[in-house]
Amino acid sequence: MNEEKILATVDGVNITDADVDAYIRNMPQDQQQYAAYPQFREHVLKQLVAFHLYAKMAVEEKMDETEEFKAMLEKARKEILAQTAINSVLKDVTVTDEEMQAFYKENPDHFAEPESAHAKHILVDTEEKAAEIMASIEKGEVAFEDAAKEFSSCPSNAQGGDLGEFGRGQMVPEFDQVAFEAEIGKVVGPVKTQFGYHLIKVEGRKEASVMAFDTVKDYIQGTLLQQKQNEVYTAKYNELYEKYM
């Protein structure tokens, strides 16, 4: 087994790569993404060195003998004891597959996926301009997506007019009606809305459905586990309250 690389030594205490990794694992998730960057790891190493240096200073100045330190130590001791006790109370709480299946069947609304459409559009200011672009597309002079990039005033023009998937009711009524009724792949328009005149091309639609159990299993497990842990925690709290208060 290879020895862990020593990065620094403070008062006889070695700081290794493993110490840096452990420190990073306790950092917020958005900071952990920088773990592979040498500069970030160097920054973490400096924090660990500073931790040991200040601890050494505190010992030399006998800060560990002050009443303030003793009070903080006792508070930390109680917090650790309390968390250890809570962990002990909750360690046997589990969720069975049968409980997850039952929750899934009894709460279909939780897992409903509404119908959706996927469409692209071209937005211009006038009906005449929309009709002109429509004619060019129908004649095969220009592809819909290229026309969107050249003429559409919507920010989606950079993606060839692609609006992605959206649910019924998310678009203005005139647009919504076309998106959920027009023939897939056929360019429709001009369609007037409060924003201007649209040429709309429906790429596809999905019917309303219920997400598969395997897709939501982890969510159900987490939800039920938290619920059961809260119940066990509350029951033990009430028991301890009656015993000690």
Side-chain angles (χ1 to χ4, degrees):
M1 183 179 292
N2 295 329
E3 284 190 21
E4 190 68 41
K5 181 181 179 182
I6 298 173
L7 304 177
T9 301
V10 182
D11 193 32
V13 178
N14 294 329
I15 302 174
T16 68
D17 270 325
D19 296 319
V20 172
D21 290 336
Y23 189 91
I24 291 173
R25 283 195 297 271
N26 288 320
M27 297 177 77
Q29 195 69 37
D30 62 332
Q31 295 182 35
Q32 292 185 31
Q33 62 182 313
Y34 301 109
Y37 291 88
Q39 288 181 323
F40 181 75
R41 295 182 68 84
E42 184 66 27
H43 172 70
V44 171
L45 175 60
K46 287 181 179 179
Q47 288 182 306
L48 286 171
V49 169
F51 172 81
H52 287 285
L53 290 174
Y54 277 103
K56 178 64 175 176
M57 168 189 162
V59 171
E60 287 184 348
E61 298 187 10
K62 300 186 184 304
M63 293 181 184
D64 55 338
E65 298 177 11
T66 64
E67 292 303 315
E68 179 184 9
F69 175 81
K70 292 176 182 178
M72 292 172 64
L73 189 62
E74 179 59 22
K75 180 182 178 183
R77 174 179 171 275
K78 287 185 177 179
E79 289 176 350
I80 294 171
L81 283 171
Q83 191 58 59
T84 300
I86 291 170
N87 292 343
S88 175
V89 169
L90 301 181
K91 66 181 176 64
D92 294 326
V93 179
T94 59
V95 177
T96 67
D97 194 65
E98 289 75 15
E99 289 172 325
M100 289 188 282
Q101 289 280 3
F103 184 88
Y104 177 75
K105 292 175 182 177
E106 293 166 8
N107 298 276
D109 291 347
H110 282 47
F111 313 110
E113 287 189 310
E115 61 178 327
S116 63
H118 176 197
K120 298 176 181 178
H121 81 140
I122 299 170
L123 175 63
V124 293
D125 292 335
T126 67
E127 186 174 8
E128 291 74 21
K129 184 63 176 177
E132 180 184 327
I133 298 169
M134 180 73 159
S136 294
I137 293 172
E138 290 179 334
K139 291 176 183 177
E141 296 173 349
V142 63
F144 184 94
E145 293 74 15
D146 292 335
K149 290 178 181 179
E150 183 176 355
F151 301 111
S152 182
S153 61
C154 177
S156 66
N157 55 13
Q159 291 78 45
D162 199 336
L163 295 169
E165 287 192 13
F166 48 88
R168 186 181 286 276
Q170 287 185 252
M171 299 295 183
V172 291
E174 302 89 346
F175 195 106
D176 196 70
Q177 182 177 358
V178 172
F180 285 91
E181 295 180 8
E183 179 182 338
I184 294 174
K186 181 180 179 180
V187 180
V188 177
V191 177
K192 183 181 179 181
T193 73
Q194 65 196 69
F195 301 107
Y197 293 85
H198 307 255
L199 299 180
I200 303 170
K201 181 183 178 185
V202 180
E203 295 290 312
R205 280 190 289 270
K206 292 181 181 178
E207 296 295 328
S209 62
V210 176
M211 288 182 277
F213 173 76
D214 287 342
T215 303
V216 296
K217 183 177 180 180
D218 289 344
Y219 164 78
I220 295 174
Q221 184 178 38
T223 298
L224 292 181
L225 183 62
Q226 183 176 39
Q227 179 181 319
K228 293 178 75 173
Q229 286 178 335
N230 287 341
E231 291 171 355
V232 171
Y233 176 93
T234 301
K236 177 57 71 172
Y237 170 86
N238 291 334
E239 177 188 327
L240 295 174
Y241 188 91
E242 291 296 325
K243 182 176 182 180
Y244 298 119
M245 295 295 288

